[in-house]
């Protein structure tokens, strides 16, 4: 057995997967062989979920059946809404709230017999569809409760993206907002074995059910080194806006004083600009131009240009997916602390896809730690210590 320690499992191969491929040096991301640019601009989020879970793009008929099956699953039981209301009342953080709410959804699953061990792919996908369809509903309900408003029933005539924005704001989004949000969902749907996907897979490898895997994924995504960075970026920009300093001055002061890491910059896998950031940057710029307020795009762009000028981008400390997604969501009127839950809403597709793919050829994931503690301690009873 190898004794070589790979802290953070960096570069360690733990399984085979055909869901997504990242070329970190070329700045390329593909889902099931299809370039992320094509999928973001030409496929709907539902089409991308179908692709991730089934390995092939759906026909028009298959997509229509998949979309309506997803839409039929959007509503949640009153008990779940009551939990959302209680969490809002307790001022719970949104990521913690959806972690709890997704976990609670298993109580209303009509397919309790479909435990992973004997589940068919079809029944497991049904469960996955149910979870993916309901996350926007519980998230929007939680946000409305904390604003003192009643949740809105999901609408089955709207796309996954449009229905979420409708349930959140009470208004049907315009086509630009719907398309932008749909693209953002596609861009966040999968990304190899990142920390949250690996967490979901580890849970799935014990043959636990998908609710446990997705709930674990949400927990892992909530940290600032992973999904939490998109909120941190927007808070940074708001902080700069409220200060007397320019973006470059502000960032450099904090980097020098605290050895601070700029959120949204750097990536474990990409050594160049993240291809998702390239697409979201364009969206952020377009939204700024159409609203006539380019403040947020300009500020982010100034920080990126500074990193470029200082040679940091060349060293791989380049914008990642979170750097521009925050400015996109903010310009769509989404509350800042909902950014990471929205990431979860999309990444659930990847968590489920990877968990089901791994379970099909399952082997319990069980690494080891090199033991550095004592081995010959003599036990001293409590009253003698
Ligand atoms: N700002 C400034 N410097 C950064 C940086 C950032 N965002 N990210 C990395 N660096 C620097 C580190 O300080 C380190 O420099 P050093 O060798 O002089 O100490 C060097 O780059 C390598 O960093 P390392 O910690 O080895 O990279 P990593 O692969 O472990 O970290 C991240 C990857 C994503 C955790 C890291 O880039 C980061 O913390 N980014 C900000 C948070 C973020 O955006 N997370 C979302 C990721 S999608």
């Amino acid at each position: 057995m190898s004794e070589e320690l790979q802290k953070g499992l960096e570069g360690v191969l733990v399984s085979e997967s055909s869901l997504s491929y990242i070329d970190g040096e070329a700045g390329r991301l593909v889902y099931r062989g299809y370039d992320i640019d094509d999928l973001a601009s030409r496929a709907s989020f539902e089409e991308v979920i179908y692709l991730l879970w089934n390995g092939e793009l759906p026909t028009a008929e298959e997509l229509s059946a998949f979309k309506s099956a997803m839409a039929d699953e959007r509503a949640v039981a009153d008990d779940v809404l009551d939990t959302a209301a209680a969490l809002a009342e307790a001022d719970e953080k949104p990521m913690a709230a959806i972690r709890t709410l997704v976990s609670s959804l298993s109580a209303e699953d009509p397919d309790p017999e479909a435990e992973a061990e004997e589940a068919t792919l079809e029944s497991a996908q049904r469960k996955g569809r149910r979870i993916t369809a309901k996350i926007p509903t519980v998230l929007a309900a939680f946000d409305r409760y904390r604003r003192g408003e009643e949740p809105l029933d999901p609408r089955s005539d709207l796309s996954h993206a449009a229905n979420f924005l409708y349930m959140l704001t009470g208004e049907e989004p315009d086509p630009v907002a719907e398309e932008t949000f749909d693209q953002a969902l596609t861009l966040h749907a999968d990304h190899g074995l990142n920390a949250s996907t690996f967490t979901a897979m580890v849970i799935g490898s014990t043959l636990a059910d998908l609710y446990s895997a997705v709930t674990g994924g949400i927990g892992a995504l909530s940290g600032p080194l992973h999904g939490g960075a998109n909120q941190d970026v927007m808070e940074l920009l708001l902080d700069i806006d409220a200060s007397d300093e320019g973006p470059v001055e502000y960032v450099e002061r904090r980097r020098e004083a605290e050895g601070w890491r700029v959120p949204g910059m750097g990536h474990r896998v990409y050594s160049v600009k993240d291809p998702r950031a390239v697409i979201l940057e364009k969206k952020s710029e377009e939204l700024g131009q159409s609203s006539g307020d380019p403040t947020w795009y300009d500020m982010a762009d100034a920080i990126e240009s500074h990193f470029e000028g200082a040679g940091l981008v060349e060293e791989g400390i380049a914008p990642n997916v979170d750097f521009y997604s925050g400015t996109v969501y903010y310009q769509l009127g989404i509350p800042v602390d909902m950014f990471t839950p929205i990431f979860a809403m999309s990444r659930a597709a990847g968590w489920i896809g990877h968990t089901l793919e791994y379970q099909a050829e399952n082997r319990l994931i069980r690494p080891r730690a090199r033991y550095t503690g004592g081995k010959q301690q003599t036990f001293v009873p409590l009253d003698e210590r």
Side-chain angles (χ1 to χ4, degrees):
M1 205 173 279
S2 164
E3 286 301 315
E4 199 185 332
L5 195 148
Q6 296 289 353
K7 202 136 187 232
L9 294 181
E10 197 164 343
V12 174
L13 287 175
V14 296
S15 73
E16 293 187 322
S17 173
S18 57
L19 268 88
S20 55
Y21 168 72
I22 305 162
D23 183 338
E25 283 171 24
R28 188 158 180 253
L29 169 63
V30 300
Y31 295 166
R32 299 279 193 184
Y34 296 94
D35 202 277
I36 196 66
D37 292 311
D38 280 337
L39 293 174
S41 59
R42 299 166 70 184
S44 66
F45 179 56
E46 288 93 325
E47 216 171 327
V48 168
I49 302 176
Y50 186 100
L51 172 70
L52 285 171
W53 292 358
N54 296 285
E56 284 173 11
L57 287 169
T59 61
E61 211 173 295
E62 285 164 341
L63 180 60
S64 160
F66 183 73
K67 279 172 106 164
S68 61
M70 280 263 291
D72 286 349
E73 294 285 2
R74 285 178 184 157
V76 299
D78 287 348
D79 285 352
V80 175
L81 291 177
D82 290 345
T83 307
L87 290 165
E89 176 72 28
D91 216 8
E92 183 59 290
K93 289 197 168 69
M95 275 304 268
I98 60 156
R99 191 194 59 223
T100 303
L101 289 165
V102 168
S103 180
S104 78
L105 286 174
S106 65
E108 59 161 304
D109 194 312
D111 246 353
E113 79 285 358
E115 294 305 329
E117 207 168 351
E118 72 254 28
T120 60
L121 182 62
E122 202 188 324
S123 70
Q125 277 201 10
R126 260 203 316 272
K127 212 183 266 289
R129 217 163 52 202
R130 210 168 280 142
I131 297 172
T132 311
K134 290 180 197 309
I135 294 178
T137 312
V138 296
L139 188 53
F142 168 77
D143 188 58
R144 291 184 74 85
Y145 278 129
R146 67 184 181 152
R147 286 187 272 130
E149 289 172 29
E150 284 299 304
L152 294 171
D153 289 336
R155 281 195 24 202
S156 57
D157 59 322
L158 298 177
S159 67
H160 194 76
N163 174 59
F164 173 69
L165 294 176
Y166 160 74
M167 288 190 298
L168 193 70
T169 63
E171 280 170 33
E172 245 186 76
D174 63 43
V176 174
E178 178 182 1
E179 190 202 296
T180 305
F181 192 65
D182 184 273
Q183 285 197 7
L185 292 179
T186 289
L187 293 174
H188 288 82
D190 196 37
H191 207 240
L193 293 200
N194 53 85
S196 57
T197 302
F198 186 58
T199 303
M201 267 175 59
V202 171
I203 294 172
S205 85
T206 71
L207 300 185
D209 68 14
L210 278 178
Y211 290 95
S212 307
V214 174
T215 302
I218 294 171
L221 186 73
S222 65
L225 295 188
H226 194 3
N230 58 7
Q231 176 174 338
D232 294 345
V233 173
M234 198 59 225
E235 281 168 354
L236 160 69
L237 300 180
L238 288 163
D239 221 25
I240 295 173
D241 194 46
S243 78
D244 299 330
E245 293 170 299
V248 173
E249 206 185 338
Y250 177 104
V251 161
E252 277 314 306
R253 175 179 54 75
R254 286 195 61 185
R255 284 189 66 215
E256 267 168 40
E258 316 160 29
W260 177 63
R261 288 178 174 220
V262 180
M265 287 285 177
H267 200 279
R268 180 60 68 79
V269 183
Y270 292 111
S271 52
V272 296
K273 187 168 175 175
D274 184 327
R276 301 165 300 173
V278 175
I279 299 171
L280 288 165
E281 178 184 4
K282 270 192 223 128
K283 283 282 154 200
S284 172
E285 186 176 17
E286 280 166 23
L287 288 171
Q289 279 166 353
S290 62
S291 72
D293 178 10
T295 309
W296 310 110
Y297 168 74
D298 285 352
M299 235 186 249
D301 184 50
I303 297 171
E304 181 183 348
S305 301
H306 171 65
F307 266 56
E308 217 160 355
L312 294 165
V313 169
E314 212 173 311
E315 287 172 26
I317 311 173
N320 61 50
V321 67
D322 297 315
F323 195 64
Y324 286 101
S325 65
T327 59
V328 167
Y329 295 149
Y330 193 75
Q331 293 179 91
L332 291 179
I334 297 171
V336 176
D337 63 359
M338 294 286 276
F339 295 179
T340 313
I342 286 169
F343 192 159
M345 186 176 126
S346 161
R347 185 56 59 85
W351 296 331
I352 291 164
H354 280 278
T355 302
L356 297 185
E357 182 189 49
Y358 190 81
Q359 284 178 336
E361 307 256 348
N362 197 63
R363 180 154 178 85
L364 177 69
I365 298 174
R366 203 320 185 176
R368 292 183 309 132
R370 182 182 294 151
Y371 181 64
T372 58
K375 287 186 179 158
Q376 299 286 340
Q377 303 275 42
T378 304
F379 183 76
V380 182
L382 191 57
D383 58 0
E384 290 172 29
R385 274 177 237 156

